[in-house]
Amino acid sequence: MEDGVTVDEKEAVRIIRHAIDSGVNYVDTAYPYHQGTSEIVVGKALGDGYRDKVFLADKSPIWKLEKESDFDSILEEQLQKLQTDHIDFYLLHALNKERFEKIKNLHLIDHMLEARKAGKIRYLGFSFHDDLEVFKQIVDYTDQWDFCQIQYNYINRAYQAGDEGLAYAAEKGLAVIIMEPLLGGRLANLSEHVAEVFSKDKTSVEHALDFLWDKKEVSLLLSGMGTEQQVEDNLVYAGRSAVGMLTAEEKKQYEKAKEIYDKMSMVDCTGCAYCMPCPFGLNIPELFKAYNTYGPEGKDGMKREYEKQQVRSDSCRSCHRCEKVCPQNIKISEQMKKIAELMK
Ligand code: SF4
Ligand code: SF4
């Protein structure tokens, strides 16, 4: 399911079950997804015997924890919402330097170990959004991690954990799960300048996923799917995938594509919508999407997209609410000022 705001529950349950019937065996959710409704819908989708066919992943919302016992009460709430007695892969969600301090202060590894002893979770992990140095510190903090989840794709190779973090975690024996393989969908909709670098026998999505499946350090990748067609496509691509599948020539294409992409991109927004809703009505990911058309399409192209927005970036009041939750650490209010200036 996409991480938008509303969920068509019946359709989501149908698509999830169809995916499982077709061989998908890992389902990932989190406390804040779809404003708290994702876990409930996943719980319903995994009824009628589907729970036993998958590994279920969920995450502890560290930013909500104020005291140690909050970890346990939120885990209980999640088990209830998911209608299950255990979560297979349990992650401390979206760790960065500040949240890492919190997991130390609140002794959250101990709480995870207790929860594992009680059979409520099976594998311990964390998802990550900060720089490489912090990533290594977290990996090295305990030998209890079973896995980690990082943002990684052929554009983000030196961003956050990146190439080096992937190799580091794998070498330390952690399974590595990849999120944002399509950079919030942006690698599915490439501008023609980037797309022309790649061979035409695969779609942009398949190129992006193959980059990851090729790597022996990658254990699993998570790709948000909002339609049945996306499920079908991904099943076909996964069926063709293998470690070491790329030729030297293909590997060069990714480097070239990144070079062009980086030149054109204005802001690293993945469209995850964690920052929404904005109290002043801005559609932050859509405004950034418009901003990112500036590189390939120039000011006129950007203006066409920008003017589709009812609330424009000059309505930003710099309240910084959105910046506290943006996993890409984007200085959103500053960017809104730049956009407003450009669109004057
Ligand atoms: S800083 Fe601007 S964009 Fe962000 S929540 Fe506040 S008003 Fe909205
Ligand atoms: S601004 Fe940050 S939180 Fe908002 S959609 Fe973009 S990446 Fe996600």
Side-chain angles (χ1 to χ4, degrees):
M1 288 188 302
E2 297 291 324
D3 187 33
V5 176
T6 53
V7 188
D8 178 343
E9 189 175 302
K10 222 169 133 200
E11 181 67 353
V13 168
R14 194 184 66 75
I15 292 177
I16 293 169
R17 290 187 176 184
H18 170 70
I20 297 168
D21 290 338
S22 308
V24 169
N25 66 354
Y26 189 97
V27 175
D28 172 81
T29 183
Y31 193 83
Y33 290 174
H34 296 280
Q35 303 200 333
T37 58
S38 171
E39 290 168 332
I40 296 169
V41 175
V42 167
K44 288 181 183 169
L46 298 185
D48 300 328
Y50 279 85
R51 173 68 187 93
D52 297 335
K53 298 179 182 177
V54 294
F55 295 103
L56 176 59
D58 201 354
K59 314 183 186 84
S60 183
I62 306 305
W63 57 93
K64 277 191 85 74
L65 310 185
E66 284 168 13
K67 49 188 188 311
E68 283 191 41
S69 60
D70 290 345
F71 175 89
D72 308 291
S73 51
I74 286 181
L75 174 57
E76 288 306 324
E77 182 188 337
Q78 291 175 307
L79 289 169
Q80 260 184 20
K81 283 161 111 181
L82 289 164
Q83 301 179 46
T84 185
D85 60 357
H86 73 284
I87 292 163
D88 300 292
F89 288 78
Y90 198 60
L91 302 89
L92 301 178
H93 197 171
L95 293 195
N96 55 21
K97 197 173 191 325
E98 184 196 327
R99 290 181 190 152
F100 178 43
E101 287 310 309
K102 202 166 179 183
I103 67 166
K104 289 192 263 187
N105 294 338
L106 295 182
H107 309 107
L108 293 186
I109 304 296
D110 293 343
H111 281 262
M112 285 183 112
L113 291 171
E114 275 166 33
R116 181 164 71 185
K117 216 166 148 195
K120 293 176 185 174
I121 59 180
R122 287 177 67 197
Y123 299 108
L124 276 52
F126 65 92
S127 63
F128 180 78
H129 293 286
D130 206 329
D131 63 26
L132 179 63
E133 195 194 326
V134 177
F135 180 72
K136 288 183 177 173
Q137 285 169 13
I138 298 174
V139 168
D140 293 338
Y141 177 62
T142 172
D143 59 6
Q144 297 296 331
W145 299 125
D146 296 305
F147 69 103
C148 61
Q149 184 167 309
I150 60 172
Q151 170 169 334
Y152 186 66
N153 50 61
Y154 67 85
I155 301 297
N156 291 150
R157 298 186 62 175
Y159 179 68
Q160 297 190 359
D163 287 345
E164 203 179 325
L166 171 66
Y168 191 81
E171 201 180 298
K172 299 264 170 167
L174 274 70
V176 185
I177 296 174
I178 304 299
M179 58 183 156
E180 299 289 1
L182 302 178
L183 196 49
R186 286 157 70 188
L187 303 186
N189 299 300
L190 294 173
S191 79
E192 60 183 81
H193 305 275
V194 180
E196 71 189 13
V197 167
F198 289 116
S199 62
K200 302 288 171 277
D201 56 337
K202 296 181 190 174
T203 63
S204 299
V205 171
E206 191 171 11
H207 280 299
L209 301 183
D210 285 356
F211 171 79
L212 300 164
W213 278 319
D214 174 68
K215 295 182 181 297
K216 65 179 185 326
E217 297 87 356
V218 170
S219 308
L220 172 78
L221 66 86
L222 298 172
S223 186
M225 291 169 264
T227 64
E228 192 161 345
Q229 188 57 50
Q230 288 171 353
V231 173
E232 299 300 338
D233 291 346
N234 282 351
L235 286 165
V236 171
Y237 304 152
R240 292 201 276 252
S241 72
V243 169
M245 67 191 291
L246 297 177
T247 62
E249 185 53 40
E250 284 171 316
K251 286 182 185 171
K252 274 194 210 137
Q253 290 172 358
Y254 291 102
E255 283 169 26
K256 183 78 192 148
K258 173 174 165 48
E259 211 179 285
I260 299 170
Y261 186 97
D262 284 348
K263 267 191 208 145
M264 293 195 310
S265 189
M266 306 305 289
V267 62
D268 288 327
C269 172
T270 60
C272 68
Y274 284 8
C275 53
M276 295 292 282
C278 157
F280 298 97
L282 282 81
N283 189 329
I284 301 166
E286 285 301 315
L287 284 161
F288 283 157
K289 206 162 134 195
Y291 195 19
N292 277 329
T293 58
Y294 181 75
E297 294 178 31
K299 197 165 168 177
D300 289 346
M302 177 180 166
K303 209 163 199 144
R304 271 196 301 277
E305 293 305 312
Y306 181 72
E307 287 178 352
K308 288 181 191 159
Q309 294 302 309
Q310 284 182 345
V311 183
R312 310 270 164 87
S313 55
D314 54 2
S315 298
C316 171
R317 306 283 171 85
S318 298
C319 70
H320 305 296
R321 181 191 169 278
C322 53
E323 290 165 17
K324 293 191 186 104
V325 292
C326 173
Q328 308 305 322
N329 297 317
I330 298 170
K331 304 246 179 303
I332 297 172
S333 52
E334 279 177 28
Q335 294 294 346
M336 289 302 164
K337 280 194 196 101
K338 281 192 201 165
I339 295 173
E341 200 53 38
L342 194 63
M343 290 289 100
K344 255 185 187 164

